Amino acid sequence: MTDTLETKTMHEPLPGIVRKLWLGEATAYRDHLLRLDPDSRHRRFSGAVADEVIVKHAATAEDLGVVIHGFFVDGTLRGAAELRHIGDMFSRQAEAAFSIEKDWQSHGVGTALLERTLLSARNRGVKSLQLNCLADNRRMQQLAKKFQADLKFDFGSVVGELDAPRFTPLSVMREAFDDAHGVATAWLDAQAKLFKTA
Ligand SMILES: CC(C)(COP(=O)(O)OP(=O)(O)OC[C@H]1O[C@@H](n2cnc3c(N)ncnc32)[C@H](O)[C@@H]1OP(=O)(O)O)[C@@H](O)C(=O)NCCC(=O)NCCS
């Protein structure tokens, strides 16, 4: 059987690490969202939003039913993919939103984050995943298109819908492996930084 969640990019290795955000990292998420340049902020939130709205939004990062994958460079969060159940955490409907700081756009980070997000959505039984984005957001649409085996398209505000949910012991194991790998890599990263400063 073909694994439709395999990496679909020929990019160079990412210049940072991808892992889920841990408890206590809502402030890192807030700071990342506040650092977005005006255009990226506008695209991320589908319109103009004030700093206070972002601060409030980031404070919900640790709510039940929210899974955030982050892209870290030297310990700083530079990109994020937010998966959020619509309704309660057992709902089959969810939405996803992506934010990558300008200097790290077009390096394959969005691809890596969407791949992880799709895996997490499947493993949580999500049937309908909405990727809301502005109609002129070509890059996000191009990104979603790379996963057209997993997503159905309806261009406009909603980009994609996940096909029937299917999680298997293997897909659950794969997410667990990614999580363990994220912890190990973050630990090694911290050790390397300690060595550098020593
Ligand atoms: C949209 C966004 C998530 C895409 O992530 P990214 O890391 O820049 O995208 P990737 O490098 O993984 O590229 C994905 C695909 O987009 C297309 N793409 C990348 N850079 C592009 C560019 N400069 N112009 C046009 N298309 C581009 C390519 O098809 C690419 O796939 P490929 O490199 O395999 O051909 C990111 O740019 C971003 O956060 N933008 C600001 C906020 C936003 O728009 N959020 C989406 C709404 S929720």
Side-chain angles (χ1 to χ4, degrees), residues 141-169:
Q141 288 163 359
Q142 286 296 114
L143 168 57
K145 254 196 194 160
K146 291 173 72 178
F147 294 84
Q148 54 191 342
D150 305 301
L151 296 163
K152 282 194 194 122
F153 288 84
D154 179 9
F155 281 87
S157 60
V158 177
V159 184
E161 287 234 332
L162 214 66
D163 273 336
R166 48 191 154 91
F167 53 90
T168 61

Side-chain angles (χ1 to χ4, degrees), residues 178-192:
D178 284 345
D179 289 349
H181 186 257
V183 173
T185 324
W187 187 82
L188 287 173
D189 216 36
Q191 293 296 310

